[in-house]
Amino acid sequence: MKWSEQTWKTIEAQYQSILDMPFITELSDGSLPLENFRFYMAQDSLYLEHFGRTLSLIAAKIQDIQDVLSFMRFAENAIVVENALHESYFKDFGVTDKGILQPACHHYIHFLRSTAALESVEIAVAAVLPCFWIYREVGDYIYNHQNSINNPYQKWIETYGGEEFSAAVDHAIAICDQLAENSTEETRKKMTEAFIMSTSMEFHFWEAAYELKTWK
C-alpha cells in the first residue's frame, strides 16, 4: 500500500468531521451567513499568498528537476491564479479589505513555512499535501451535495469542479508517494505526523470562519 493510502486512513475520522461541520453543510445548502463567507474568503486569500511562498521554498529544496518545476507551477497557481479568482469574488461578495491574519490562518501558514524551512523536503511535501487533497475532496463533496436553487454561493462552488486542479492534486500525491518510497521508516513516520497536523489545521480554518475567531 502506498504511503498516501496508508496516511489517508489515519485521517478518515478527521475528514468526516470536516464534512459534518456547519460551515460545509451551510455553504452547500446556501444558508451560510454572508459575514462568515466574507471572513473565510479574506483569510483564504491571505493564506494562499503564504502557501505559494511555502511551495516556492519546497521547489528550491526538492532534488528532482521535474518536481522543482511542478512545485514552481503549484506556487504560481496559488499566488496568481487563485488570488485572481478571489479578487473577482471579493467584488461579488463585497469584500473590500483582506484584513490581517487571524489565529487559525496564522497558525496554519506558520506551521507550513517552518516545516518547509527546517524539516526535510519529504516532511515539507507531506505537510502541504492536505491543502491540495482535502480541499479537492471537500470541494467535490460540496459540489455534489449543493442546493443549486437560489444558492448565493453557486458560482463560487462551481469552481471546485475543475479537472486541471484535480490533476494537480493527483500529481502532488504521486510526488509525495515517490519521496516516501525512497525515505526511511522514520522519515515516513514524520511525514504522516505532518500530514495529520495539517489536516487538523484544515478543520480549524473552516471552524474559525464559522465562529468568526479573531485575536482577542
Side-chain angles (χ1 to χ4, degrees):
M1 185 181 293
K2 295 179 179 179
W3 173 86
S4 61
E5 295 169 337
Q6 292 177 321
T7 301
W8 184 267
K9 289 181 179 297
T10 68
I11 58 96
E12 285 181 342
Q14 288 176 290
Y15 173 64
Q16 187 59 49
S17 70
I18 291 173
L19 297 183
D20 293 339
M21 65 195 317
F23 185 92
I24 301 301
T25 56
E26 293 181 17
L27 178 63
S28 300
D29 66 24
S31 64
L32 181 71
L34 183 56
E35 181 183 14
N36 299 86
F37 190 71
R38 286 171 175 160
F39 183 100
Y40 167 77
M41 292 202 67
Q43 290 299 295
D44 198 38
S45 184
L46 290 167
Y47 170 87
L48 284 169
E49 175 188 341
H50 291 278
F51 186 63
R53 293 176 186 275
T54 301
L55 296 174
S56 296
L57 180 55
I58 292 173
K61 296 177 67 174
I62 206 164
Q63 293 298 311
D64 185 273
I65 192 64
Q66 293 303 317
D67 292 344
V68 172
L69 292 172
S70 294
F71 270 86
M72 289 174 67
R73 294 188 189 104
F74 294 158
E76 180 182 22
N77 186 68
I79 295 174
V80 179
V81 180
E82 291 296 331
N83 236 14
L85 180 66
H86 278 75
E87 289 296 334
S88 69
Y89 287 114
F90 280 1
K91 296 178 182 177
D92 291 344
F93 293 102
V95 179
T96 58
D97 182 13
K98 295 181 183 180
I100 65 170
L101 293 170
Q102 299 297 346
C105 184
H106 177 277
H107 297 342
Y108 194 1
I109 62 171
H110 280 76
F111 168 70
L112 295 180
R113 291 176 67 172
S114 63
T115 301
L118 301 175
E119 300 290 352
S120 70
V121 72
E122 293 87 357
I123 299 169
V125 171
V128 299
L129 187 58
C131 184
F132 288 94
W133 198 354
I134 292 178
Y135 198 82
R136 179 183 67 181
E137 299 304 316
V138 172
D140 287 346
Y141 177 85
I142 292 173
Y143 186 81
N144 292 324
H145 291 80
Q146 64 178 306
N147 170 23
S148 59
I149 301 175
N150 297 323
N151 187 331
Y153 309 116
Q154 174 68 25
K155 181 181 174 184
W156 183 81
I157 289 171
E158 289 175 354
T159 64
Y160 276 126
E163 293 183 4
E164 186 176 350
F165 177 65
S166 185
V169 174
D170 287 336
H171 187 45
I173 294 170
I175 291 173
C176 215
D177 278 330
Q178 186 62 47
L179 290 171
E181 184 177 341
N182 296 326
S183 299
T184 65
E185 185 62 35
E186 181 63 24
T187 296
R188 285 190 289 273
K189 178 181 177 182
K190 290 181 179 179
M191 289 172 68
T192 299
E193 290 172 352
F195 187 92
I196 293 171
M197 178 61 74
S198 287
T199 299
S200 295
M201 298 281 188
E202 288 284 320
F203 175 91
H204 289 295
F205 193 93
W206 279 304
E207 179 187 56
Y210 192 75
E211 298 182 3
L212 300 175
K213 290 185 176 180
T214 60
W215 297 106
K216 303 299 182 183

